[in-house]
Amino acid sequence: MKGWTLTFVLAAVFGLCVGPFYWLAMAATHANSDIFSWPPKFYPGDQLAANTAKLEESIGLVNVLGNTLFVAVAQTAGAIVVSLLAGYAFAKFRFAGRNLFFVLLLSTLVIPGGVTIIPIFEMMNDIGLIDSFPALILPSLSVPFGIFLMRQSLLAIPDELLDAARVDGAGELRVLWRVVIPVMRPVLAALAVFLFLGAWNDFLWPLIALRTPEMYTLPVALASLQGLARTDFGQVMVGTAISSLPMMVLFLILQKQFISGLLAGATKG
């Protein structure tokens, strides 16, 4: 009886997690008038191509996807480099004020993101970067959580291993590339998934920083489809389904490294 109860609970949780995505996929194949009809249509329709064509005409889907992918990859790659270098410095170097700086860095984790929007906007506007991709990328390069995760993971690497590489004549960058990064791959993969997910789905800052529709990212472009009187939810569902696919594929590819990275980041040697 206990086994059947556990199976039922797991099936219910699975349904709650997967059900909305299944309905989203089915809704993307129906016309706008059929999406919210009763009873709900949980079977594929024949309007997927038409909805996709209308979405391309409305927002320039291919261009918007290119913008979103470029910004997300640039943000992720840049933030990983900054987090790794900063975490390496905090974990393996001794310098005046190291603990104080680290505490100040951690204190920024409790600051709501919305509080920093106005100062960041003023900074980007003063240097003339508003309505450009650098305005989206540069403020996202410093991620306190990423630096914290890198630092905690790097503490588990023995200093003797790094010293041995230095004795062999390797500089710090070569030590980082040849010794640290191969060991840190699972943690880097986990951080990359977190960062890419946040960058791909970011809405508020791109909405504020971008003014040209041709530069919109996918969340902003989809929001522009919301009309005052009428919204074509067929287009919205297609766009939302497309926006969900990259993260599902990325997680399926990196799930082993992602789980290993979370476990590695939770331990300290």
Side-chain angles (χ1 to χ4, degrees):
M1 184 66 180
K2 183 179 179 180
W4 283 105
T5 302
L6 180 60
T7 301
F8 175 78
V9 171
L10 292 177
V13 172
F14 177 81
L16 289 174
C17 294
V18 177
F21 290 100
Y22 176 79
W23 181 82
L24 172 66
M26 294 301 99
T29 66
H30 289 281
N32 187 55
S33 58
D34 296 332
I35 291 177
F36 298 106
S37 61
W38 187 262
K41 293 180 169 56
F42 292 111
Y43 54 86
D46 58 357
Q47 296 297 309
L48 178 60
N51 289 336
T52 305
K54 288 189 292 185
L55 183 63
E56 168 63 28
E57 182 181 354
S58 298
I59 66 173
L61 179 61
V62 174
N63 178 66
V64 166
L65 285 174
N67 295 343
T68 311
L69 182 62
F70 171 74
V71 171
V73 170
Q75 285 188 12
T76 302
I80 285 178
V81 171
V82 172
S83 298
L84 180 60
L85 293 176
Y88 183 65
F90 278 120
K92 298 303 181 183
F93 289 99
R94 303 292 182 267
F95 53 89
R98 183 185 68 163
N99 293 333
L100 175 61
F101 289 140
F102 188 65
V103 170
L104 291 175
L105 175 72
L106 291 182
S107 67
T108 64
L109 292 173
V110 302
I111 300 176
V115 174
T116 63
I117 287 180
I118 294 178
I120 292 176
F121 179 86
E122 292 292 340
M123 292 172 59
M124 295 295 106
N125 189 51
D126 289 343
I127 58 180
L129 291 182
I130 290 298
D131 199 29
S132 69
F133 291 137
L136 304 183
I137 297 170
L138 293 178
S140 303
L141 296 185
S142 178
V143 181
F145 170 76
I147 297 173
F148 170 75
L149 180 63
M150 293 295 103
R151 186 253 189 188
Q152 296 303 107
S153 301
L154 283 162
L155 287 175
I157 300 178
D159 292 339
E160 293 77 10
L161 182 63
L162 306 182
D163 292 336
R166 296 186 184 109
V167 170
D168 290 338
E172 291 300 330
L173 290 179
R174 188 171 182 181
V175 171
L176 196 64
W177 181 258
R178 295 291 185 180
V179 179
V180 174
I181 291 180
V183 177
M184 295 284 291
R185 281 178 181 171
V187 183
L188 291 172
L191 181 60
V193 172
F194 277 119
L195 294 175
F196 190 88
L197 175 61
W200 183 268
N201 292 326
D202 191 17
F203 169 73
L204 183 58
W205 175 240
L207 177 66
I208 295 173
L210 298 178
R211 299 168 182 171
T212 305
E214 288 74 18
M215 301 184 67
Y216 281 173
T217 56
L218 187 56
V220 179
L222 291 179
S224 68
L225 295 175
Q226 300 287 332
L228 294 177
R230 184 177 184 275
T231 300
D232 190 334
F233 285 101
Q235 298 182 49
V236 175
M237 295 301 175
V238 170
T240 306
I242 292 174
S243 70
S244 303
L245 286 178
M247 287 314 306
M248 294 180 183
V249 173
L250 183 65
F251 182 78
L252 288 175
I253 294 175
L254 298 177
Q255 59 178 322
K256 182 178 180 180
Q257 292 84 349
F258 179 75
I259 296 172
S260 301
L262 290 180
L263 295 176
T267 60
K268 176 182 175 181

